[in-house]
Amino acid sequence: EVQLLESGGGLVQPGEFLRLACAASGFTFNNYAISWVRQAPGKGLEWVSVISGSGANTYYADSVKGRVSMSRDHSTNTVYLYINSLRAEDTAVYYCAKNRDHSGNSQNWFDSWGQGTLVTVSS
Amino acid sequence: QSVLTQPPSVSGAPGQRVAISCTGSSSNIGAGYDVHWYHQLPGTAPKLLIYSNNNRPSGVADRFSGSKSGTAASLAITGLQSDDEADYYCQSYDRSMSAWVFGGGTKLTVL
């Protein structure tokens, strides 16, 4: 059974840095791209970023480009999202989601999701 | 304002059929990119419902079906059940944004 478990959320001040983690199990980790999708309180879903199965390629939404990066650790089957210069509008539940294949190319969907971790940016 | 447009809400009585529309443009659905659908029960994570326009993952009831035509897609639910009350989201890819995009979501109420 595919499992994705996010951690690292919490209350942070504007301008601070945060690292979110997504621990994966139940599938061959190297074979699948992993995305982060966020949901602001009471709002819809917004794709944030993706990392390919090998970790060689990453892509980011314009709304976070320049402030966000991703990495993956194949020894622990964990994906990380790093967010700099946090803003109030980054407040959201952050979900990691397994892509349908390794590439993260355009014809992709999210076939499994974690339970999410809440990030609140406030002074 | 979402790139893909969905009605904010739809409703139907138990046993009835409802449809949820998802309207895009020539840079996403109309460009040939597939549409996928998710549902999200209150307080839970989204779950894949339909992929590649009209395919159901294993375990999803055949009461759920999808279609796509031109710059729009639609999710149909037949034999409505109270358990179907959830938020429903469509998703595609937008080539002008180089990003996956979601609709704003539709809240389904079973009367």
Side-chain angles (χ1 to χ4, degrees):
Chain A
E1 180 193 2
V2 172
Q3 289 198 337
L4 300 165
L5 185 62
E6 302 92 336
S7 61
L11 176 63
V12 294
Q13 299 216 350
E16 289 191 340
F17 162 87
L18 196 64
R19 185 189 79 167
L20 304 180
C22 170
S25 62
F27 61 98
T28 304
F29 187 66
N30 297 6
N31 287 357
Y32 295 93
I34 301 290
S35 288
W36 287 93
V37 177
R38 68 184 180 183
Q39 185 171 35
K43 302 295 185 183
L45 302 170
E46 179 191 16
W47 172 76
V48 173
S49 61
V50 64
I51 187 166
S52 62
S54 67
N57 298 300
T58 53
Y59 303 97
Y60 305 103
D62 286 345
S63 60
V64 298
K65 202 170 288 184
R67 297 191 299 120
V68 160
S69 63
M70 283 186 75
S71 67
R72 61 195 295 162
D73 183 339
H74 294 274
S75 68
T76 60
N77 287 4
T78 303
V79 171
Y80 298 98
L81 178 70
Y82 308 87
I83 317 174
N84 294 304
S85 305
L86 278 156
R87 308 165 179 169
E89 52 264 37
D90 294 319
T91 294
V93 174
Y94 285 72
Y95 296 100
C96 65
K98 174 178 164 287
N99 284 56
R100 54 94 66 158
D101 68 15
H102 67 90
S103 68
N105 68 17
S106 59
Q107 292 286 33
N108 236 290
W109 59 88
F110 312 109
D111 60 18
S112 297
W113 299 64
Q115 88 292 343
T117 186
L118 175 63
V119 173
T120 303
V121 183
S122 174
S123 55
Chain B
Q1 185 106 0
S2 300
V3 173
L4 305 178
T5 301
Q6 298 180 233
S9 63
V10 297
S11 62
Q16 283 191 333
R17 176 187 184 277
V18 295
I20 299 172
S21 61
C22 174
T23 303
S25 69
S26 58
S27 66
N28 42 68
I29 299 175
Y33 295 106
D34 289 341
V35 178
H36 321 289
W37 292 89
Y38 306 84
H39 68 163
Q40 184 177 32
L41 300 172
T44 69
K47 181 180 175 183
L48 180 66
L49 197 59
I50 296 286
Y51 66 92
S52 297
N53 307 317
N54 55 12
N55 296 280
R56 287 185 305 276
S58 173
V60 173
D62 59 5
R63 299 186 299 107
F64 297 91
S65 62
S67 63
K68 174 190 159 187
S69 178
T71 59
S74 182
L75 172 71
I77 310 172
T78 58
L80 267 182
Q81 301 175 1
S82 57
D83 288 354
D84 297 332
E85 280 207 345
D87 293 323
Y88 291 79
Y89 294 91
C90 60
Q91 175 244 317
S92 187
Y93 183 82
D94 190 284
R95 64 183 177 189
S96 65
M97 298 174 63
S98 297
W100 290 300
V101 291
F102 289 90
T106 298
K107 183 176 182 58
L108 169 62
T109 300
V110 181
L111 302 170

